[in-house]
Amino acid sequence: MMASSPDDSLRPRVGLIYDERMCRHTTPDGEAHPECPERIRAIWKKLESEGIPRRCVVLNAKKVEDKYLASVHTQNYIKLIKNISSKEFDSRRQRIASKFNSIYLNVGSSEAAYLAAGSVIEASEKVAKGDLNSVIAIVRPPGHHAESNEAMGFCLFNNVAVAVNYLLNEKPELGIKKILIVDWDVHHGNGTQKMFYKDPRVLFFSVHRFDFGCFYPSGDDGAYCMIGEGPGAGYNINIPWEHGQCSDADYIAVWDHVLIPIAKEYNPDIILVSAGFDAAIDDPLGGCCVTPHGYSLLLQKLMQFAQGKIVMVLEGGYNLKSIANSVLACAKVLLQEESVGSIQTATFKSTWRVIEAVRHELKGYWPVLDVELPQNLLITNSRPCPAEVTYSSSESDVENDEGTARTINFSDFVEDDVLLPLSKLKIDEGNHGKVIASDQVQEEESLSASEASHDAELVTSNEIVDGYITWRSLLSKVEVWYASFGSNMWMPRFLCYIEGGKVEGMSAPCCGSLDKSSPKDVIWKIVPHRLLFGRSHTRTWGAGGVAFLDPERSTSDKAYLCMYRITLEQFNDVLLQENSLHQENGIIKQMASPLLDLHILEYVAKNKSLPLEALKDGWYSTVLYLGKEDDLPILTMTCSASDVERFKSGELPASVPAKDYMNTLVNGLVEGKQLTREEAVAYVNGAATWKL
Ligand code: X5A
Ligand code: ZN
């Protein structure tokens, strides 16, 4: 029973679409996957348990017609998805799925994809006509990553793009001329952006984790400088978060200072929300913490536009409880039932930075942005950025033997050893935050004790936590030899860790280092350590073993090393990439503090090897000091001594490298003029079959 009995004619008319058939898109062998049928079931069950459907208009799902898909997707691609579930494709389905990035396919996929796109058309048409005020389309598979001839990121058809084109091109009589798409899924809506990049009839707004290009779908497409092109210039707006943990306050700030002012000026005829709920608190992929109340406020702020014509379309969102509660909160807002709650956190400093950058980028197109934000807003209402290294992942085949998202906080060890030495730094203010070591400060500039401690505090509590620039600028002045003994011996492969990208055989690109300058020198060396091949599978290379160097010296062994002269800053970026999954799951984006600074380097040089606590779950977490060359330390990274024990006992599999991985080693040795191709093959095979 409802507490009050509101007049039905006064209540907004809200539509809901849900259809069990969209649950038949599943992984082929029943393996767990975050994008699972339970997602929409959980949402529907929650709405039912709260009596929402009977306060709404429940619409029937509809399959999209091919001619409407054709406004977004190529004929070949439509044919592929249409046929994918038929019997003749039984044997080819897996191979086709594997050609796409983050896609699975089964007998139910085709129908689900057709229903998802068709339902969003149905929803949009009903709202555009004014039959309903708003609709929530609880659909899957999601759509915003799908491109014209490519499935990716769990998406098959771009449901929102198809519906938008339907309104604009097929139903001019409905008078929809300007459409605002708000994509609040935690991932960038690359597919939708591409579709309307040159089209001023569609204002595409996406707020997403970007992590400087390392968060899925990785690359530059989600950057704030991507503002549209030609007549569409100014009509594409990206809000790229620098890191995870963004919450209600960050989203609200972006709404208040970017989206809402622009929406007022744009004055859309209808709004489609690419409503992924993977920025929700406890989402295994997103690493952010938007609450149901937060979502309800974001939605509420949109309802003042387009006479409240809103179509909410489910995209991602992988914590069943969070997505169910978030959709419920949104449904209540659309029904204009009161939402209670308050915002618990402050806005990140990085959020103000992003907002200012976006406003600057777009102010030529949207004059309303051409005013300075009040300074007190920026100073009083902000919190420092996350101070830990964040790995986020949820898919199963990560290189860390773990399938769950996690945050690795710096251990006390790293904190003492990283923060203490850095606290000795002084910021040279006349030099725009450039850092110099305190022992380089000239006599007359030296600080009194109290000033010095004030300064140290400034460094630790402000610049290190928030601006990783300080440690980077310091370590960029220190050079080391990074010695590689595996696939990185091949220069093009190693350069992926510096410049980003991938070589033949790698399944995903690397994000590269922040400083992308090439190694200053490359030399080869032979060391008395055993090379071995272990583990049976990696995300990067697929099946097969990868190279490790036994941290123990043994004069009866020899391993070839290709040594690159790089900066210690770059070494930190390489170390991090080498120890994490690839960016598909969003690897480390920003290192608040270095894993290996001067102090730790000194320790490693003295003790020869050091397992880095902060990377203890990575495969290459041990830094090994192999001596000096040209007075610069030679460093490599390998498994821990205890892993070698586990290889010996058979607890960890020893395994021959796969073809592509093998080729990178052989290419390295041959192009580095160390061995002939035959010798190189023999060397690698020999190492791979050695008995430990
Ligand atoms: C729709 C959506 C996420 C894809 C992540 C792939 N896709 N690692 O949230
Ligand atoms: Zn997403």
Side-chain angles (χ1 to χ4, degrees):
M1 284 299 284
M2 274 190 288
S4 59
S5 51
D7 183 343
D8 271 2
S9 65
L10 292 178
R11 188 191 283 159
R13 293 160 55 81
V14 179
L16 294 177
I17 295 196
Y18 170 76
D19 191 308
E20 248 318 287
R21 287 175 292 172
M22 287 184 277
C23 297
R24 294 195 202 139
H25 166 59
T26 64
T27 53
D29 308 316
E31 320 90 284
H33 192 283
E35 206 291 277
C36 62
E38 295 312 320
R39 297 174 58 236
I40 57 175
R41 281 204 191 105
I43 293 170
W44 189 248
K45 259 182 69 186
K46 184 81 190 180
L47 296 183
E48 278 189 323
S49 77
E50 297 272 330
I52 301 288
R54 65 181 159 77
R55 283 177 263 161
C56 294
V57 178
V58 178
L59 303 171
N60 288 322
K62 258 170 110 171
K63 288 188 198 166
V64 65
E65 290 179 45
D66 287 352
K67 61 178 178 195
Y68 301 139
L69 289 172
S71 71
V72 169
H73 298 288
T74 62
Q75 286 301 342
N76 277 344
Y77 181 70
I78 297 169
K79 237 197 318 200
L80 178 71
I81 300 301
K82 187 185 205 77
N83 295 329
I84 200 75
S85 299
S86 64
K87 212 153 178 55
E88 328 58 290
F89 271 73
D90 276 355
S91 57
R92 291 165 57 196
R93 214 175 284 131
Q94 284 350 292
R95 208 166 38 79
I96 293 168
S98 71
K99 292 221 184 325
F100 295 118
N101 176 339
S102 302
I103 287 294
Y104 63 77
L105 295 165
N106 76 332
V107 289
S109 300
S110 185
E111 183 179 47
Y114 271 80
L115 284 167
S119 298
V120 179
I121 289 186
E122 176 73 359
S124 304
E125 185 164 14
K126 285 269 171 9
V127 173
K129 274 189 179 147
D131 291 352
L132 296 170
N133 297 85
S134 55
V135 175
I136 304 181
I138 306 158
V139 297
R140 65 181 289 273
H144 73 153
H145 294 307
E147 301 196 349
S148 71
N149 63 351
E150 202 172 341
M152 63 181 278
F154 318 156
C155 302
L156 298 181
F157 292 138
N158 194 318
N159 309 318
V160 165
V162 169
V164 163
N165 276 336
Y166 175 83
L167 293 180
L168 291 173
N169 305 334
E170 307 288 333
K171 297 282 154 174
E173 66 273 20
L174 298 179
I176 302 293
K177 298 200 175 75
K178 287 179 289 175
I179 301 184
L180 168 61
I181 302 175
V182 175
D183 187 331
W184 74 38
D185 184 282
V186 79
H187 302 99
H188 179 236
N190 57 289
T192 317
Q193 165 169 304
K194 278 215 178 108
M195 203 60 55
F196 303 111
Y197 205 60
K198 297 179 179 170
D199 193 341
R201 298 174 305 169
V202 180
L203 174 55
F204 178 67
F205 171 94
S206 179
V207 52
H208 44 268
R209 262 186 83 174
F210 185 61
D211 300 35
F212 304 98
C214 290
F215 201 74
Y216 190 87
S218 80
D220 295 335
D221 284 355
Y224 58 70
C225 54
M226 301 296 283
I227 59 167
E229 222 173 83
Y235 294 91
N236 193 86
I237 302 171
N238 283 321
I239 308 288
W241 297 140
E242 292 180 4
H243 49 72
Q245 297 181 35
C246 293
S247 67
D248 298 348
D250 301 291
Y251 281 81
I252 297 289
V254 164
W255 253 235
D256 288 349
H257 301 287
V258 181
L259 178 57
I260 299 302
I262 291 178
K264 275 192 183 133
E265 212 152 294
Y266 185 64
N267 189 23
D269 299 315
I270 191 171
I271 301 177
L272 275 79
V273 183
S274 260
F277 292 95
D278 39 13
I281 190 158
D282 293 334
D283 187 275
L285 266 64
C288 292
C289 35
V290 178
T291 68
H293 179 64
Y295 283 115
S296 75
L297 293 176
L298 301 182
L299 184 58
Q300 209 151 41
K301 284 173 187 273
L302 296 178
M303 287 173 70
Q304 58 183 298
F305 304 106
Q307 303 150 295
K309 289 185 162 68
I310 293 186
V311 183
M312 277 192 42
V313 181
L314 185 67
E315 299 280 0
Y318 307 100
N319 178 307
L320 303 185
K321 282 192 181 134
S322 305
I323 62 178
N325 288 325
S326 301
V327 174
L328 173 64
C330 289
K332 288 183 178 175
V333 167
L334 295 177
L335 285 163
Q336 289 185 359
E337 296 173 6
E338 85 305 346
S339 128
V340 284
S342 60
I343 290 178
Q344 297 297 337
T345 48
T347 311
F348 280 122
K349 286 177 86 178
S350 60
T351 294
W352 293 119
R353 188 154 64 224
V354 172
I355 288 174
E356 294 216 286
V358 171
R359 287 172 62 100
H360 180 77
E361 192 76 28
L362 287 164
K363 67 184 180 203
Y365 303 90
W366 304 98
V368 58
L369 303 182
D370 200 4
V371 283
E372 293 286 314
L373 289 177
Q375 270 315 110
N376 63 342
L377 195 66
L378 278 51
I379 294 159
T380 59
N381 184 18
S382 62
R383 63 167 165 152
C385 300
E388 67 282 307
V389 182
T390 302
Y391 298 70
S392 68
S393 147
S394 78
E395 280 169 84
S396 44
D397 52 345
V398 300
E399 292 182 6
N400 308 58
D401 296 343
E402 253 181 60
T404 51
R406 66 194 187 284
T407 297
I408 298 180
N409 289 305
F410 277 110
S411 64
D412 291 345
F413 159 73
V414 175
E415 217 149 280
D416 288 351
D417 287 46
V418 175
L419 296 184
L420 285 182
L422 281 167
S423 67
K424 294 188 203 118
L425 302 175
K426 175 186 185 303
I427 295 174
D428 178 1
E429 286 180 28
N431 227 332
H432 300 285
K434 234 178 71 197
V435 167
I436 46 176
S438 56
D439 54 5
Q440 293 167 9
V441 177
Q442 295 195 337
E443 204 52 47
E444 61 269 30
E445 288 177 2
S446 76
L447 305 158
S448 74
S450 73
E451 277 172 321
S453 70
H454 171 79
D455 229 53
E457 196 185 321
L458 193 75
V459 172
T460 50
S461 69
N462 184 6
E463 294 304 323
I464 290 180
V465 176
D466 194 19
Y468 54 102
I469 294 148
T470 51
W471 73 259
R472 283 185 178 275
S473 61
L474 179 73
L475 299 192
S476 72
K477 296 179 185 74
V478 180
E479 290 188 338
V480 297
W481 293 102
Y482 161 58
S484 64
F485 49 81
S487 65
N488 287 339
M489 282 193 293
W490 192 37
M491 178 89 147
R493 191 279 179 265
F494 172 66
L495 286 179
C496 297
Y497 282 143
I498 300 291
E499 296 168 354
K502 61 177 186 175
V503 295
E504 178 81 18
M506 285 166 66
S507 64
C510 299
C511 44
S513 304
L514 200 66
D515 173 2
K516 299 196 162 31
S517 33
S518 299
K520 312 250 173 349
D521 204 354
V522 184
I523 55 173
W524 287 80
K525 200 180 171 79
I526 295 172
V527 292
H529 284 262
R530 172 160 293 195
L531 179 67
L532 52 120
F533 288 85
R535 307 267 185 171
S536 55
H537 182 97
T538 64
R539 174 159 207 95
T540 311
W541 298 98
V546 293
F548 295 97
L549 203 65
D550 186 342
E552 286 301 320
R553 280 169 65 99
S554 84
T555 36
S556 57
D557 288 305
K558 70 175 194 182
Y560 287 87
L561 298 178
C562 181
M563 312 206 304
Y564 302 97
R565 209 171 97 202
I566 59 175
T567 70
L568 192 50
E569 181 203 2
Q570 290 175 316
F571 185 81
N572 271 281
D573 285 334
V574 174
L575 189 57
L576 216 44
Q577 294 177 77
E578 187 72 79
N579 275 285
S580 56
L581 34 150
H582 282 81
Q583 56 265 58
E584 179 150 1
N585 292 310
I587 56 163
I588 309 87
K589 316 316 152 140
Q590 177 183 328
M591 254 185 293
S593 312
L595 292 158
L596 200 121
D597 70 354
L598 291 172
H599 192 73
I600 301 176
L601 179 56
E602 210 180 294
Y603 180 93
V604 176
K606 216 179 286 156
N607 295 274
K608 307 304 175 220
S609 97
L610 176 68
L612 285 180
E613 183 63 19
L615 293 174
K616 64 176 185 300
D617 297 321
W619 291 3
Y620 290 93
S621 62
T622 296
V623 175
L624 206 57
Y625 173 82
L626 296 166
K628 279 191 162 186
E629 184 76 33
D630 285 347
D631 220 33
L632 296 179
I634 304 169
L635 301 175
T636 191
M637 53 189 90
T638 186
C639 61
S640 62
S642 70
D643 274 357
V644 174
E645 291 310 309
R646 290 164 75 202
F647 282 126
K648 283 184 188 164
S649 72
E651 192 191 328
L652 284 176
S655 175
V656 179
K659 192 175 114 278
D660 286 320
Y661 186 82
M662 171 93 163
N663 281 343
T664 58
L665 268 78
V666 171
N667 287 346
L669 289 160
V670 172
E671 287 176 25
K673 300 203 173 28
Q674 298 305 296
L675 297 171
T676 65
R677 193 158 287 275
E678 292 66 35
E679 288 165 343
V681 170
Y683 166 69
V684 177
N685 276 329
T689 50
W690 260 335
K691 284 254 157 21
L692 279 157

